[in-house]
Amino acid sequence: MENGKKNIWKPIAIISLCILLIVSTCYGLGVGYKNNTESSQTQEISAEVLSLWNDEAVAKKELTEYIEAVTKEGSADFIPVENRIAVFDLDGTLACETDPVYFDHCILKYRILDDPAYKDKASDFEKEVAADIVKWIETGESPDDLMVRHGQAVASAFSGLTPEEFEKYVSDYAKTEAPGYNNMTRAEAFYKPMLEVVDLLEQNDFTVYVVSGTDRFIVRGLVAASPLDLPANQIIGSDESMVAPDQGDTDGLDYVFDADDQLVMGGEFIVKNLDMNKVTVIQQEIGVQPVLAFGNSGSDFSMAQYALNDNPYKAKAFMLCCDDTERENGNLEKAEKMVKSCEENGYTAISMKNDWKTIYGENVTRK
């Protein structure tokens, strides 16, 4: 009986030893071990992060180090997911700013002067605004009050359309060829390196908002046709009134939206979302102080300062400098001023020329 037990346990001991050796070997190689597998994946992803940015770009280094610091559990700079809010300007920050002028000015000019369904209905005021846009295109100069008058003209020229009709109109126009470039539509005129930034932030549980001076519904229509994948409730812009068609002059407090109603653009301009207005609308609509801000002009400085001032979390602001005159419609004088402003205010400058391997893709060239 004693010998029988020994005969039974001997093969079991040998098998156990073999299993132990196999497990130990696999552990040492990192095979089948969850944490090691995750670490390997992280290293692989990290090697590809912001691949369209030059490795020596200061902005790339600062942004990736920032994200690592604020998303690492136990880090002194850790930011809870609900506070990881990033705000981006649109024109000149995420997308082409001038081709030949702002997208929202181009579409208004088309609506008033070229759209066969509307040009004969355009008011004298709208035609005056369109004429100023044409003058801006031809001379490079625009009246100081054009931004507000443009907002008023957008509101009236698209009055009566439902939000869906307005956004579709914009998306259809955005699919036309970008006039200053080969092999690109207006909807495709988004900076590929900045799209990488948005993707990287979202992968690290940041919520990304567009906070633009362009009309909210124009931004929605443009984004819907573009490679930027953001929901409508994360898009903020200049605003106009909205009404029910049968509402007339009745105040909203005295009118009840009923089963036969629909919502349409009301024709009244409300606010141009630039400068301090960006700070106000961020608080009103998001309700959380952003920790990251991206812009490209002085009209974005208030938004940047709002992110940096008295923030309980580590915060940063980045400003794009339009210094590429070969691949983009650069303006060296404006770019130099922006670099100086970044130095004075503690923002990080992004050089389109020096920091990016491409802007719109290698097949896209300026005419």
Side-chain angles (χ1 to χ4, degrees):
M1 195 70 178
E2 190 78 11
N3 290 334
K5 288 183 179 180
K6 288 181 180 179
N7 291 338
I8 293 173
W9 286 106
K10 186 174 182 180
I12 294 176
I14 294 172
I15 293 170
S16 299
L17 181 59
C18 290
I19 292 173
L20 181 60
L21 288 171
I22 292 170
V23 171
S24 298
T25 302
C26 290
Y27 180 88
L29 294 173
V31 179
Y33 184 59
K34 183 177 181 181
N35 288 344
N36 282 355
T37 302
E38 289 179 347
S39 177
S40 174
Q41 290 175 345
T42 301
Q43 289 172 6
E44 183 180 347
I45 293 171
S46 296
E48 298 174 358
V49 162
L50 305 185
S51 63
L52 299 179
W53 293 63
N54 292 318
D55 290 337
E56 63 272 16
V58 172
K60 175 180 180 177
K61 181 175 184 293
E62 289 191 9
L63 182 59
T64 52
E65 288 179 351
Y66 172 85
I67 292 173
E68 181 179 355
V70 302
T71 59
K72 185 177 181 180
E73 290 278 1
S75 166
D77 295 319
F78 179 76
I79 300 177
V81 170
E82 62 270 22
N83 292 98
R84 295 179 197 171
I85 304 297
V87 290
F88 287 75
D89 171 57
L90 178 72
D91 299 292
T93 301
L94 287 171
C96 181
E97 184 168 48
T98 53
D99 187 29
V101 290
Y102 296 117
F103 176 84
D104 58 342
H105 287 70
C106 291
I107 194 172
L108 180 65
K109 170 184 168 294
Y110 171 79
R111 174 74 165 170
I112 295 169
L113 300 180
D114 302 311
D115 184 353
Y118 186 78
K119 62 181 182 179
D120 294 333
K121 304 175 186 177
S123 68
D124 289 340
F125 169 73
E126 292 166 358
K127 291 176 181 178
E128 289 174 4
V129 174
D132 282 339
I133 295 173
V134 172
K135 182 179 179 181
W136 182 15
I137 293 171
E138 293 175 345
T139 68
E141 298 179 1
S142 63
D144 292 338
D145 64 348
L146 181 58
M147 287 297 176
V148 172
R149 291 170 56 242
H150 165 267
Q152 293 168 339
V154 167
S156 61
F158 292 98
S159 177
L161 296 183
T162 66
E164 294 78 16
E165 289 170 339
F166 189 7
E167 290 173 29
K168 184 179 185 304
Y169 186 99
V170 175
S171 291
D172 289 344
Y173 176 77
K175 294 171 185 174
T176 61
E177 294 298 314
Y181 294 85
N182 297 303
N183 306 315
M184 184 171 74
T185 65
R186 295 179 186 272
E188 293 168 336
F190 278 68
Y191 304 143
K192 288 183 177 295
M194 292 305 293
L195 294 177
E196 283 191 322
V197 171
V198 173
D199 288 343
L200 177 62
L201 291 173
E202 291 183 329
Q203 289 166 14
N204 286 277
D205 297 321
F206 281 81
T207 303
V208 172
Y209 290 86
V210 168
V211 183
S212 174
T214 296
D215 180 274
R216 182 191 303 263
F217 292 98
I218 290 181
V219 181
R220 287 181 180 176
L222 174 58
V223 168
S226 80
L228 178 63
D229 185 17
L230 284 182
N233 64 338
Q234 289 169 220
I235 294 173
I236 299 170
S238 295
D239 276 321
E240 58 196 275
S241 63
M242 303 186 73
V243 297
D246 297 333
Q247 184 176 344
D249 295 328
T250 304
D251 189 89
L253 293 173
D254 301 315
Y255 185 85
V256 177
F257 191 88
D258 61 34
D260 297 324
D261 270 329
Q262 61 178 342
L263 201 60
V264 298
M265 314 313 295
E268 297 295 325
F269 178 65
I270 297 175
V271 64
K272 188 68 176 177
N273 189 36
L274 294 174
D275 299 299
M276 177 59 192
N277 290 341
K278 289 197 173 189
V279 176
T280 304
V281 77
I282 288 170
Q283 180 54 232
Q284 289 172 330
E285 299 205 18
I286 303 174
V288 179
Q289 185 179 8
V291 293
L292 280 175
F294 295 82
N296 81 303
S297 71
S299 64
D300 300 314
F301 285 178
S302 292
M303 180 171 72
Q305 284 301 141
Y306 181 49
L308 297 178
N309 287 2
D310 299 320
N311 202 316
Y313 300 105
K314 184 179 178 69
K316 289 188 72 65
F318 294 82
M319 291 288 163
L320 267 71
C321 301
C322 53
D323 56 359
D324 197 314
T325 58
E326 294 185 8
R327 301 178 297 178
E328 232 277 343
N329 302 316
N331 183 319
L332 296 182
E333 182 180 356
K334 180 180 176 181
E336 289 172 1
K337 289 181 179 179
M338 178 55 71
V339 170
K340 184 176 180 180
S341 293
C342 287
E343 293 171 351
E344 293 172 348
N345 293 286
Y347 311 148
T348 299
I350 298 173
S351 168
M352 293 183 179
K353 178 180 179 180
N354 300 319
D355 292 353
W356 294 350
K357 297 176 182 177
T358 184
I359 295 181
Y360 301 114
E362 297 305 325
N363 65 321
V364 176
T365 57
R366 286 187 65 195
K367 291 181 179 177

